[in-house]
Amino acid sequence: MKDEEILEKLGKIEIREGKERRIKSYVLRNNVLSEKEKETVLSYMPRYGFFFEDKGLDYSSLFPTERPVVIEIGFGMGDSLHEIALRRPDCNYIGIEVFLQGFVKLLKRIGDDDMDNVRIIRFDAVDVLDHMIPDGSIEGFHIFFPDPWPKKRHHKRRLMQLPFLHLLATKLREGGYIYMVTDWEEYAEEVVETAKDEPLLSNPFEGFAPPVAWRPITKFERKGMEKEYTINEIWLERV
């Protein structure tokens, strides 16, 4: 693929023709890359990034070593994904994010560190899961601090609703997990209650889960803790 094609393809998230669009749980912002960011994309995208295709992923072609696959949805600036992949090298990680500058920042970090167990894509997560991730193939999903859409009229935009939980569950192997963290308690309580209606999932803690030792605390999370926000952790498992 030519340099211009790579930059053009990364710079937009396609609206798939002929498909009824769901309400998006995100808002696209700045799509302009600096010259340095363009250099990062052209240097590292061919190895560490991949583009949407309407076919199932072959993990063996994506990663050089066969390991269980974990997906982080909405990795933001990529701090947690980068650190977890270093702490848990026994897994391969796929990151999905629509925020362009955050995507490029993580691309640079994993490229500079020559990490063979992280690959990332900039696209709508539901489309990626629907069309690229084979059923029963995923070890775990990480969803850290998703947008809570706090206004009641916007709650319908929240990511973690029953149809999405069901989609995640179908992609998990038996015993696989969904790990969500949020500092918005009402959202967390809603997810715990909603998950009770998904027969493919169980909550081994019944309510919130204890902190997981290998998840790093990010700058964003520290700011919330300084404001005395409660960090709510949810751990669900595929039955």
Side-chain angles (χ1 to χ4, degrees), residues 28 38 76 83 125 141 143 151 202 207 211 213:
L28 292 177
K38 290 179 182 178
E83 185 63 29
F141 286 103
I143 302 103
K151 294 181 180 180
S202 67

Side-chain angles (χ1 to χ4, degrees), residues 24-239:
K24 296 195 297 292
S25 63
Y26 55 84
V27 175
L28 292 177
R29 296 184 176 88
N30 182 22
N31 262 8
V32 179
L33 294 176
S34 67
E35 290 305 313
K36 184 169 287 188
E37 288 172 326
K38 290 179 182 178
E39 291 176 9
T40 293
V41 169
L42 296 178
S43 295
Y44 292 141
M45 190 68 190
R47 179 175 178 186
Y48 300 101
F50 63 102
F51 291 110
F52 179 85
E53 293 185 86
D54 197 354
K55 64 178 183 179
L57 271 178
D58 176 5
Y59 302 129
S60 65
S61 67
L62 201 61
F63 298 100
T65 304
E66 184 177 349
R67 306 180 182 104
V69 177
V70 173
I71 295 178
E72 181 167 341
I73 295 171
F75 60 74
M77 301 304 288
D79 295 339
S80 292
L81 178 52
H82 178 264
E83 185 63 29
I84 289 173
L86 291 174
R87 294 182 181 185
R88 302 178 74 208
D90 53 331
C91 289
N92 288 325
Y93 297 86
I94 293 174
I96 306 173
E97 177 57 64
V98 296
F99 172 44
L100 184 57
Q101 275 64 35
F103 180 93
V104 175
K105 180 181 178 182
L106 180 58
L107 186 65
K108 178 171 173 54
R109 293 182 76 179
I110 60 180
D112 287 350
D113 292 345
D114 193 23
M115 297 176 70
D116 71 351
N117 67 331
V118 183
R119 299 292 183 266
I120 59 178
I121 180 172
R122 181 175 186 252
F123 212 77
D124 180 90
V126 174
D127 276 339
V128 173
L129 296 177
D130 265 339
H131 297 273
M132 300 189 73
I133 304 301
D135 289 354
S137 67
I138 299 300
E139 176 72 18
F141 286 103
H142 297 167
I143 302 103
F144 300 147
F145 301 97
D147 193 330
W149 292 101
K151 294 181 180 180
K152 189 172 183 179
R153 69 177 184 271
H154 292 157
H155 284 189
K156 61 186 179 181
R157 298 185 183 182
R158 287 177 171 177
L159 179 67
M160 300 296 282
Q161 299 184 56
L162 188 57
F164 188 69
L165 284 173
H166 177 73
L167 177 60
L168 295 181
T170 62
K171 303 302 173 180
L172 289 172
R173 66 162 183 82
E174 290 185 14
Y177 67 89
I178 298 169
Y179 180 25
M180 173 187 171
V181 183
T182 178
D183 57 4
W184 202 265
E185 189 167 4
E186 177 267 332
Y187 190 11
E189 291 172 347
E190 178 183 288
V191 173
V192 169
E193 288 302 309
T194 300
K196 294 177 181 178
D197 294 327
E198 174 47 64
L200 295 178
L201 295 173
S202 67
N203 185 338
F205 303 99
E206 296 186 356
F208 296 150
V212 176
W214 43 257
R215 185 181 71 82
I217 297 176
T218 65
K219 293 178 182 177
F220 171 84
E221 185 175 355
R222 288 188 189 282
K223 289 180 180 179
M225 294 169 69
E226 289 170 2
K227 296 177 182 178
E228 299 185 348
Y229 292 169
T230 301
I231 306 302
N232 308 281
E233 314 220 2
I234 298 171
W235 186 279
L236 306 170
E237 294 180 356
R238 174 71 153 85
V239 296

